[in-house]
Amino acid sequence: MKTEARPYVGAALERVEGVEKVTGLARYAYENFPDDLAYAVPVQATVARGTVLAADVDAVVRLPGVIAAIWHGNAPRLAPADNAELAVLQSDRVAYRGQYVAVVVAETLQCAQEAARLLRIDYDAEPHDVELRADHPEMYRPDRVNAGYPADTELGDPDAALAAAPVLVDATYRTPAEHNNPMEPHATVAVWSGDGLTLHDSTQGVSALRETIAPLFGMPPDNVRVISPHVGGGFGSKGAALPPVVLAALAAKHTGRPVKLAVTRQQMFAVTGYRTPTIQRVRLGADTDGRLTVIVHEAFEQSSRLREFAEQTTTPTRVMYAAPDRRTAHRLVRLDVPTPAWMRAPGEAPGMFALESAMDELAVACGIDPVELRIRNEPAAEPESGLPFSSRDLVGCLREGARRFGWADRDPTPAARTRGRMLVGTGVAASMYPVYRRPSRASARCEPDGRFSVRIAAADIGTGARTILTQVAADALRVTPDRVRVEVGDTALPAASLAGGSAGTASWGTAVVRACEALLEELDLRGGDVPAEGLEATADTAEEVGEQPEYARHAFGAQFAEVGVDLDTGETRVLRLLGVFAAGRIVNPVTARSQFVGGMTMGMSMALLEESVMDREFGDYLNHDLAQYHVPTAMDLPDVQAYWIEEDDPHLNPLGAKGIGEIGIVGTAAAVANAVHHATGVRVRDLPIRLDKLVR
């Protein structure tokens, strides 16, 4: 069975599911039609805070085609949950405008939509508070922030160091609420059979979703099956169980019918998560040569009354630059708003906008080139933990990016270059993202005909996970990729971590490699003979991941931007984006470039376009569709280039790979903002950079 090893990891293998997707054979959650299917349409609260007094469900149920109208007065009871967002229809309290207060189930989608429109809900409305302010009297320090990091850190005496610094930058930066908006909205088909539940769901983690849903309905996890072979994007919003999937399962249980629930684009602005707005104060002290003596980075964020979610906004500052005195802090206020959640590079994307903008301001104050300033502040070890880096080539990224971008010819003088009726400027920012690896399981099987199947409950959210795992398995098994079939997206497969935190390839790839190695050992013991029923081996990486040695593991990058700002209108256009990344071994250059370019495009969108605007009077986001919530098209970004530096890092995983799904967005917004300042001389510290801010 052994053949010569082939280096498929690193090759530009085409997507193995590509034909299925372009021919329409790939089935997404909404495209499941079990027998006797009914349709559910939620009813959302029209007040931001208060109590539901009554729901005229009896009148609605009499409408033709309506099967049920469910509210807290007649809903099936759920078990208590740590996450109060999942206690759907369990209380008469309204915690935010848009919260689910009822659901109508009907024979057709049109009947359900009309009945939901007609269902009368009476409220006792109360005054609400939806405005994030740094001086909010209820602002507090959370115990931890997302991913388990401490809320605050401090080394040395930062206040004294600030007072003594020869050069000081003290600025406040703001980022707005942003909504994920994947191409495929959230959708669920829920089917009960006896005491078992099957969910066809658009999710980034079938195993995690099963572990959350089962106890809500008082069942062991084995009684729940989640199927999600194809997912049309998520950006973090599909990483955890949310109210829509709970409501679908609840409606199916109440009616005894399979139920389909699709979240509309408008509803996604209330019930499927978003990036918290932030207010960030960054203070940098340095000597006249630009070497940092002190860094202080403080963030103010919001969460809901239902659940504490504290984004890790200042944690990148703990990693980036050397300074003996330092402080990072997070403060949180609970408002009458939906609960924030993960959005691509949560924490790192807004946090690095503030830090990298402040670094640009420091470069200007010191009269030092922004690339050189960052190089001068390169740390020998992780600044706060003292851990050695498993690998770190930020300097290499900066230098290679500067060479490719043509940075050496840059005149640092602001507002000095025009191209027609445009002011033109360039900017740079650094990127970073942590390297995570989570426990997962996998199985590898050999058939008598010499074909192999690899099974793991991973999620392919459009990133090419099937393709990459096929390459990983082919190399581990020492066969060609056409002899390997990878199955993902089903809890009937060995449990796997979710697709999030840029950890998929490292986590699932480790499990696949170990399962394939175990299978080859079994084959060796049998002299290469495969029994008629086939041969299978499994792997569980929990012990390996738990015992990995301590290193500071991060990917790094450098982002360069060129912008043009219209002299008459203040309209800003990005003319060029170029990124260079140090992210370990690149498993597939085609899918990697797609991820880098996609992240950079999203970062440009963060800089210039994306903004969810809160209506303080009604407590709702004013712009809740893609006509009003703007994202870029191809015409908005004509030239995006992504490159990488190969890193040999033996301290990561069997592939030597770091995650790449999120680092592309990190730093891009700051690079664009810094380029706008270079073009105009105007420093915009609150995103997005609209023309009114420049004209003003």
Side-chain angles (χ1 to χ4, degrees), residues 167 285-292 359 362 366 368 373 376-377:
V167 183
D287 62 25
T288 54
D289 291 330
R291 288 181 172 82
L292 288 163
M359 287 293 286
L362 181 64
C366 293
I368 297 173
L373 179 79
R376 288 186 189 184
N377 288 285

Side-chain angles (χ1 to χ4, degrees), residues 76-144:
R77 294 296 94 186
L78 301 174
D82 293 336
N83 180 359
E85 275 277 11
L86 303 183
V88 181
L89 306 188
Q90 301 298 293
S91 166
D92 60 357
R93 291 295 300 167
V94 175
Y96 58 87
R97 188 179 177 98
Q99 185 179 6
Y100 290 157
V101 293
V103 62
V104 174
V105 184
E107 298 289 350
T108 67
L109 177 61
Q110 292 75 18
C111 285
Q113 289 172 329
E114 179 65 6
R117 186 183 69 83
L118 295 173
L119 180 59
R120 192 182 79 247
I121 307 287
D122 296 328
Y123 301 94
D124 179 15
E126 301 170 10
H128 59 260
D129 182 3
V130 295
E131 184 181 6
L132 174 65
R133 310 192 317 270
D135 62 350
H136 196 290
E138 296 179 19
M139 196 70 70
Y140 70 97
R141 179 175 66 83
D143 291 333
R144 313 288 287 183

Side-chain angles (χ1 to χ4, degrees), residues 15 35 56 80 157 215 307 335 346 350 355 364-365 387 434 507 577 604:
R15 288 178 181 254
D35 293 339
D56 193 7
D157 189 344
R307 176 176 176 244
L335 301 173
L355 176 64
V364 172
L387 289 172
S507 303
L577 279 183
M604 169 269 177

Side-chain angles (χ1 to χ4, degrees), residues 177-186 204 232-238 263-270 272-275 342-344 602 605 609-612 621 623-632:
E178 299 168 341
H179 281 80
N180 308 56
N181 277 303
M183 184 177 293
E184 178 202 19
H186 298 240
Q204 293 175 226
F235 308 119
S237 69
K238 298 175 183 177
V263 182
T264 66
R265 183 67 60 184
Q266 291 78 11
Q267 291 167 356
M268 286 172 60
F269 282 77
T272 58
Y274 62 100
R275 195 193 301 282
W342 301 319
M343 183 171 176
R344 197 175 198 170
M602 202 166 172
S605 185
L609 299 172
E610 293 190 51
E611 179 181 22
S612 299
Y621 288 107
N623 51 332
H624 50 244
D625 57 38
L626 292 180
Q628 301 173 80
Y629 183 92
H630 295 160
V631 296

Side-chain angles (χ1 to χ4, degrees), residues 564-685:
V565 181
D566 191 285
L567 275 163
D568 302 305
T569 68
E571 179 185 13
T572 300
R573 289 198 172 274
V574 173
L575 307 176
R576 282 191 297 151
L577 279 183
L578 185 148
V580 178
F581 305 95
R585 188 179 187 190
I586 299 301
V587 178
N588 185 315
V590 174
T591 57
R593 182 168 281 106
S594 175
Q595 287 298 292
F596 288 137
V597 168
M600 292 164 68
T601 303
M602 202 166 172
M604 169 269 177
S605 185
M606 177 183 178
L608 299 183
L609 299 172
E610 293 190 51
E611 179 181 22
S612 299
V613 180
M614 176 61 73
D615 184 327
R616 285 179 287 180
E617 180 178 357
F618 293 102
D620 194 10
Y621 288 107
L622 287 166
N623 51 332
H624 50 244
D625 57 38
L626 292 180
Q628 301 173 80
Y629 183 92
H630 295 160
V631 296
T633 67
M635 293 297 290
D636 293 307
L637 202 53
D639 186 356
V640 191
Q641 301 173 49
Y643 303 94
W644 50 84
I645 297 170
E646 290 285 354
E647 285 187 313
D648 182 11
D649 190 332
H651 308 295
L652 300 173
N653 49 66
L655 311 176
K658 299 178 179 179
I660 60 173
E662 288 161 287
I663 192 172
I665 189 176
V666 179
T668 306
V672 172
N674 295 338
V676 168
H677 173 264
H678 186 233
T680 65
V682 178
R683 179 70 65 178
V684 179
R685 299 186 180 95

